[in-house]
Amino acid sequence: MSIRVVVADDQELVRSGFSMILEAQADIKVVAEAGDGVEAVAAVQAHAPDVLLLDIRMPEMDGLEAARRVCSQSACKVVMLTTFDLDEYVYEALYAGASGFLLKDVRRDDLVHAVRVVAAGDSLLAPAVTRRLVADIVHRRRTEAAADVTPQRLEVLTAREVETLRLLARGLSNAEIATSLFVSEHTVKTHVSNVLGKLGLRDRVQAVICAYETGLVTPGAY
């Protein structure tokens, strides 16, 4: 079954370029394109894609508001597109439910890989820039006293689930977590699922943010 994708960007050349790259893959199908946030939300409602590539800065409705609506109204995974790796709006986009972000100058193979990874339920957490981004999110939230997450929130987790969350926050893959805990990947997937369910989190990105906010991990500790 093909991965269904909507590409939303107000720059036609960028939009068509991404679409051509993705359409060239046997397992990916671009079901619609959108030139602004309103069109992006409508396209998701009409086509029920697996992944939405969404530009942050767009007319009519910006990518942040579009991400909020898509993530709250559907199971579609959102990947934000930005010109800068630390665009201020990316912080809010991750809180809105986005599964990660890509720079617009992303390499062809990395774009395809990102779509496959997100469609499979994972998130774009591996690059060092993303770990830096998460750390900055936490700093901003704590400075603004806007976060309502407390260490007590983790008390619903078992000891093994807490350790899984700790390793997940370090950017380890399921296979690497399995090796570290001396368990199977299937067991790790179960632990990750339990963590997300018990903490009411949408995906691994939000789990990592939670781990930082509760103090389970701290920037620069590994």
Side-chain angles (χ1 to χ4, degrees):
M1 182 179 295
S2 295
I3 300 170
R4 296 165 57 81
V5 179
V6 168
V7 179
D9 194 296
D10 63 333
Q11 296 181 312
E12 184 177 358
L13 286 178
V14 173
R15 193 169 68 239
S16 60
F18 279 5
S19 293
M20 285 190 292
I21 291 172
L22 296 175
E23 278 285 358
Q25 310 303 310
D27 60 334
I28 298 176
K29 179 176 179 59
V30 177
V31 296
E33 295 183 14
D36 60 51
V38 173
E39 290 181 2
V41 173
V44 171
Q45 294 172 338
H47 300 281
D50 302 298
V51 177
L52 167 63
L53 292 181
L54 180 63
D55 186 17
I56 286 181
R57 302 176 185 275
M58 288 191 298
E60 302 300 328
M61 178 192 298
D62 65 24
L64 177 57
E65 178 59 26
R68 286 196 189 100
R69 298 192 185 190
V70 168
C71 292
S72 65
Q73 298 172 4
S74 74
C76 178
K77 302 293 186 180
V78 175
V79 176
M80 307 303 298
L81 299 170
T82 179
T83 305
F84 306 103
D85 61 350
L86 291 179
D87 189 307
E88 61 182 304
Y89 293 106
V90 175
Y91 308 124
E92 296 300 329
L94 293 181
Y95 269 94
S99 294
F101 71 97
L102 290 174
L103 300 182
K104 285 190 177 181
D105 62 356
V106 62
R107 294 173 55 251
R108 177 190 304 260
D109 291 345
D110 291 338
L111 172 65
V112 174
H113 174 70
V115 168
R116 289 172 177 155
V117 165
V118 171
D122 216 327
S123 50
L124 305 178
L125 291 174
V129 65
T130 307
R131 291 198 294 272
R132 213 167 58 237
L133 175 66
V134 172
D136 201 13
I137 291 174
V138 175
H139 173 72
R140 286 173 178 238
R141 288 296 184 179
R142 285 176 173 168
T143 299
E144 297 167 0
D148 60 0
V149 182
T150 64
Q152 286 72 35
R153 186 179 181 186
L154 301 184
E155 291 179 357
V156 299
L157 304 180
T158 66
R160 184 48 61 93
E161 288 165 355
V162 169
E163 187 58 27
T164 297
L165 176 58
R166 190 194 313 276
L167 296 174
L168 190 157
R170 289 174 52 193
L172 273 64
S173 66
N174 283 354
E176 291 169 332
I177 294 174
T179 299
S180 180
L181 297 181
F182 300 101
V183 297
S184 68
E185 282 192 57
H186 176 75
T187 298
V188 171
K189 289 180 180 179
T190 298
H191 289 330
V192 171
S193 178
N194 289 342
V195 168
L196 298 181
K198 290 181 178 181
L199 298 180
L201 304 172
R202 177 181 173 91
D203 57 23
R204 294 166 72 106
V205 170
Q206 293 190 341
V208 171
I209 292 173
C210 177
Y212 275 93
E213 288 184 330
T214 57
L216 182 63
V217 293
T218 57
Y222 53 87

